[in-house]
Amino acid sequence: MENLFNLSAVAPAMATDDYVGFTFFVGCMAMMAASAFFFLSMNSFDNKWRTSILVSGLITFIAAVHYWYMRDYWATNATSPTFFRYVDWVLTVPLMCVEFYLILKAAGATKSLMWKLIFLSVIMLVTGYFGEAVHTTGQGPALWGLISGLAYFAIVYEIWKGGAAKLAEAAGGAVLSAHKTLLKFVFIGWAIYPIGYMAGTEGWYSGIFGGLPMDVIYNVGDAINKIGFGLVVYNLAVSSK
Ligand SMILES: *C/C=C(C)/C=C/C=C(C)/C=C/C1=C(C)CCCC1(C)C
């Protein structure tokens, strides 16, 4: 009888200073809400935009499922759910590359552009994982982080000055402005992740970020980049309805 009214017997209460746990919780809800929003609005658009909105919803939905799990993992173990973090990224970041392809398709984007971006993003994430979970001591994290960073800059280059940029120029109008906003997400929003990585791995850079928890940085980055990125695509679909 006592336990009936004691919720903590069912789910342990979250400590009020558990910022990591809190951002997993809020992140999970935000991803769920964003998915409902994208999926439910999908059919109000032209066929031309439906796939793009669908992909926006898939990105936040896949993240919601992972956040559900990671929130629990953190609550139970109080350690970073690194493996599932990277599983989430390796599914969702390539889907963001697909978004670039989809919005530039009308301007003549080819699948090879899409595969190039996907390939670079997988290199970026797999090498990041090596530094964060496999070679975690000595020079390991710094070296793998550097390789990951190079792949990241190759992605930025492709979108900013490379083939994708030229197609966006050719498309002009709403597509060009959406492309430019998405570029800002990749250049500024994605730069949050190497900060999280430096805060959470061992290297010459340890200590620069003053003990800010890596998972808080990653969780904030995910909310901005997954939901914000999807909203830019949504906005493009609205403005060229
Ligand atoms: C939704 C998830 C997104 C957009 C994740 C993006 C992740 C990155 C851009 C990660 C980049 C990294 C580096 C550039 C260097 C250090 C290792 C990583 C993997 C954290």
Side-chain angles (χ1 to χ4, degrees):
M1 198 58 195
E2 252 169 65
N3 273 345
L4 198 58
F5 301 104
N6 183 2
L7 275 175
S8 66
V10 186
M14 199 190 301
T16 48
D17 62 350
D18 179 4
Y19 303 111
V20 174
F22 180 72
T23 52
F24 273 126
F25 181 76
V26 174
C28 186
M29 277 196 296
M31 296 296 176
M32 285 179 182
S35 308
F37 175 77
F38 292 129
F39 289 146
L40 291 172
S41 68
M42 214 177 101
N43 286 324
S44 64
F45 294 106
D46 247 26
N47 260 334
K48 186 173 141 216
W49 294 115
R50 264 181 221 171
T51 318
S52 306
I53 306 290
L54 173 66
V55 174
S56 292
L58 286 176
I59 291 169
T60 53
F61 182 71
I62 293 170
V65 174
H66 284 83
Y67 268 75
W68 179 263
Y69 182 88
M70 293 195 288
R71 180 193 52 80
D72 214 36
Y73 185 100
W74 175 264
T76 317
N77 305 300
T79 52
S80 297
T82 307
F83 181 72
F84 279 86
R85 170 81 72 191
Y86 276 84
V87 172
D88 173 350
W89 288 353
V90 97
L91 296 170
T92 52
V93 177
L95 283 174
M96 294 180 158
C97 299
V98 172
E99 292 280 38
F100 276 102
Y101 164 73
L102 287 175
I103 71 169
L104 296 174
K105 209 165 84 174
T110 58
K111 289 242 168 69
S112 76
L113 169 79
M114 179 182 87
W115 287 115
K116 185 175 179 181
L117 290 173
I118 291 177
F119 175 76
L120 289 168
S121 71
V122 172
I123 299 284
M124 173 181 84
L125 296 172
V126 170
T127 53
Y129 184 76
F130 281 158
E132 205 171 306
V134 185
H135 303 283
T136 56
T137 54
Q139 299 297 316
L143 286 176
W144 287 111
L146 180 68
I147 301 172
S148 175
L150 292 175
Y152 166 67
F153 280 116
I155 296 171
V156 171
Y157 178 85
E158 182 60 33
I159 299 169
W160 193 3
K161 301 278 176 195
K166 292 187 184 96
L167 290 165
E169 289 289 341
V175 170
L176 177 60
S177 83
H179 181 86
K180 283 187 171 158
T181 312
L182 293 180
L183 164 65
K184 283 186 193 130
F185 272 93
V186 173
F187 195 37
I188 303 164
W190 289 18
I192 294 171
Y193 298 96
I195 294 176
Y197 181 91
M198 288 198 267
T201 65
E202 188 186 306
W204 54 266
Y205 43 73
S206 299
I208 297 181
F209 301 100
L212 204 62
M214 177 183 74
D215 286 292
V216 169
I217 303 175
Y218 284 164
N219 291 352
V220 169
D222 278 354
I224 294 174
N225 289 299
K226 290 182 166 64
I227 301 172
F229 198 96
L231 287 173
V232 175
V233 174
Y234 175 85
N235 189 50
L236 170 62
V238 171
S239 64
S240 40
K241 215 168 183 173

